[in-house]
Amino acid sequence: MSDGAAADGAALVRAFEAAGQGQVFAFLGGLAPGDRRHLLGQAAEIDLAEVARLNAGLAAGATAGPGGDSDLKPAPFERLPAGGGDRAAWERARAAGEAALRAGRVAAFTVAGGQGTRLGYDGPKGAFPVTPVRGKPLFEVFAHKILAAGRCWGRPFHWFIMTSHQNHAATEAFFSERSWFGLDPARVHFFRQGRMPAVDFNGRILLEAPGAVALSPDGHGGSLRALERSGALDLMAAEGVDTISYFQVDNPLVHCTDPAFIGWHLLRGSEMSSKMVPKAYPEEKLGHFCIREGRLVVIEYSDLPIELQRLREPDGSLRFGAGSVAIHVLDRDFVRRMARPSGERMMPFHRAEKKIPTIDGSGRPLRPDRANGIKFELFVFDALPFARNPVVIEARRADDFSPVKNAEGVDSPRTCREDQLRKFARWLKGAGAALETDGTGLPGLSVEVSPLFGFDEASFAEGWAKLDPKPAVADGFYLE
Ligand code: UTP
């Protein structure tokens, strides 16, 4: 280590000691030079003032939860024309969105920094094979939607992908080995999200090894500050992009750059817009769009009392039935503002009590069998209350939402595969192809349409109309 670095190290140690976090360096003296540098590097990443603020909140028993629910109202949303929405307004929105897409104002943004613990897949979640016939990975599905939509609007998109420290190198390698799925590599941008230290129940930062802090990704809400810190927002500004189409890595059904959604956002002068689907049943694990104290908020399923989740309107619909599907459009300057928080504009950290692998006083590993500490995460929807004119629009679940979250059961590879099959079958049948489906729209055969053939129903129908003769649909049918 150079003298300068050693001096910086000493200053860092003093700052941690002054903050009551000196235990982070308890083993510093005995570390090999590489481990020492690693630990100091990790420590330099930690915002001690932020940790102190969170600890003060812990001591006061504060949570990032929803607050009281006495003043809670369901949030209004724009209904789809099929459900009684204003068709002309949807058409105006679509036209405005298409104009923005043609003008190159929109970038795609995928958050892919999660740990994917529930799925238990060994590798970045975006590499998980998901399509019904070809078993294409999630990243390929998005890449081809983005490629095809870019061709359609005459403007190739910039695509920003947020990774974590854990999966960054593997994600980049995955794209490089597959030649960026045909995209221009200069338009695919990877950046890492931030990390937060885990603390014990007394607010003391935990070590996972003598030379390593227990750090974990700072949540999908960390994407706003990571977009700023990484220089992504500057690049967008230089490229004339002012509108960010945000989606999660686990949902292959998503319309990555939806003109109508983008149009609603722009025409309303919204800084952050969201898609909702009606909850399928009261206990479905979706966040709820609500209005509290005049502001749009999303209240997680675990935070809304079950009586409220079950409450029905006179027409039988769920009162708090607007489910969040984590699809947003964000204004670039709004993201910049949120990334530089001030007193009144601070997204809350959510706390989760977890089993955190750590070490004992002599540096030996401890694998706790019950929660021994707290992890902190930011959630992207917590930016909504700070956004001007936020708009929520209805999405058709079958078009936009079927995430892969769990290894089995709901939101699993099986349900997602079936939802893709239903969507392809619906498109094929709509275009006149002969295909048997059951009462839920599920075909008896495996079929798949590449986004390069049709990235939405309209582009599919256009492509199909040009086919002469029309192909017969058999098991394993694939169109590209
Ligand atoms: P989830 O809430 O489903 O979490 O993330 P996860 O980490 O992927 O999965 P589990 O809970 O460990 O099983 C929703 C989306 O937010 C991203 C994920 O990659 C996914 O696209 N995310 C989540 C991040 O980018 N960073 C995070 O810190 C957390």
Side-chain angles (χ1 to χ4, degrees), residues 103-149:
R105 289 175 57 187
V106 181
F109 177 36
T110 309
V111 287
Q115 293 175 302
T117 2
R118 283 169 289 171
L119 181 62
Y121 175 62
D122 185 20
K125 204 176 195 177
F128 185 75
V130 79
T131 66
V133 172
R134 294 290 170 99
K136 291 184 199 166
L138 285 154
F139 278 137
E140 183 169 348
V141 175
F142 305 133
H144 286 171
K145 287 187 187 190
I146 288 168
L147 185 59

Side-chain angles (χ1 to χ4, degrees), residues 1-307:
M1 191 181 285
S2 71
D3 286 354
D8 288 351
L12 209 52
V13 174
R14 277 199 303 279
F16 272 67
E17 280 168 352
Q21 300 286 6
Q23 78 286 353
V24 165
F25 298 112
F27 301 96
L28 189 67
L31 295 177
D35 291 345
R36 207 181 145 84
R37 268 197 304 279
H38 178 248
L39 179 62
L40 289 168
Q42 284 190 324
E45 229 181 87
I46 295 171
D47 179 342
L48 284 169
E50 186 165 79
V51 174
R53 255 195 325 272
L54 291 170
N55 282 339
L58 286 185
T63 69
D69 18 79
S70 53
D71 180 38
L72 217 53
K73 297 186 187 67
F77 59 86
E78 294 301 332
R79 285 186 194 280
L80 284 165
D86 177 347
R87 190 171 296 277
W90 276 84
E91 275 161 19
R92 282 195 299 277
R94 167 172 275 278
E98 288 180 4
L101 290 161
R102 281 201 196 91
R105 289 175 57 187
V106 181
F109 177 36
T110 309
V111 287
Q115 293 175 302
T117 2
R118 283 169 289 171
L119 181 62
Y121 175 62
D122 185 20
K125 204 176 195 177
F128 185 75
V130 79
T131 66
V133 172
R134 294 290 170 99
K136 291 184 199 166
L138 285 154
F139 278 137
E140 183 169 348
V141 175
F142 305 133
H144 286 171
K145 287 187 187 190
I146 288 168
L147 185 59
R151 286 179 184 152
C152 169
W153 306 118
R155 296 294 287 245
F157 289 97
H158 282 282
W159 183 17
F160 294 85
I161 299 170
M162 184 175 83
T163 62
S164 64
H165 283 69
Q166 234 168 351
N167 70 21
H168 185 84
T171 303
E172 281 195 324
F174 189 72
F175 273 74
S176 149
E177 281 154 17
R178 286 158 184 78
S179 307
W180 291 268
F181 306 106
L183 291 164
D184 174 0
R187 286 178 173 267
V188 186
H189 314 280
F190 304 93
F191 61 90
R192 288 183 186 80
Q193 70 177 103
R195 296 187 285 190
M196 287 296 290
V199 300
D200 68 15
F201 292 124
N202 297 313
R204 287 157 58 87
I205 295 171
L206 288 166
L207 290 176
E208 70 180 16
V213 180
L215 291 173
S216 53
D218 60 359
H220 41 69
S223 60
L224 304 188
R225 47 200 205 171
L227 277 165
E228 149 95 333
R229 202 176 38 230
S230 65
L233 297 181
D234 294 334
L235 177 62
M236 288 180 195
E239 293 285 307
V241 168
D242 60 7
T243 303
I244 304 169
S245 184
Y246 170 110
F247 54 92
Q248 301 192 151
V249 75
D250 54 19
N251 176 21
L253 251 54
V254 70
H255 196 150
C256 300
T257 51
D258 181 349
F261 186 28
I262 291 162
W264 277 112
H265 171 85
L266 293 173
L267 289 178
R268 284 285 174 82
S270 163
E271 289 185 314
M272 180 168 178
S273 305
S274 311
K275 280 191 176 174
M276 63 70 76
V277 298
K279 280 181 79 175
Y281 48 94
E283 299 77 16
E284 189 181 14
K285 293 184 172 176
L286 293 180
H288 307 81
F289 286 106
C290 301
I291 299 289
R292 198 179 50 224
E293 292 165 8
R295 294 185 175 274
L296 179 66
V297 294
V298 169
I299 300 193
E300 277 197 288
Y301 54 86
S302 47
D303 286 333
L304 188 69
I306 194 68
E307 316 81 76

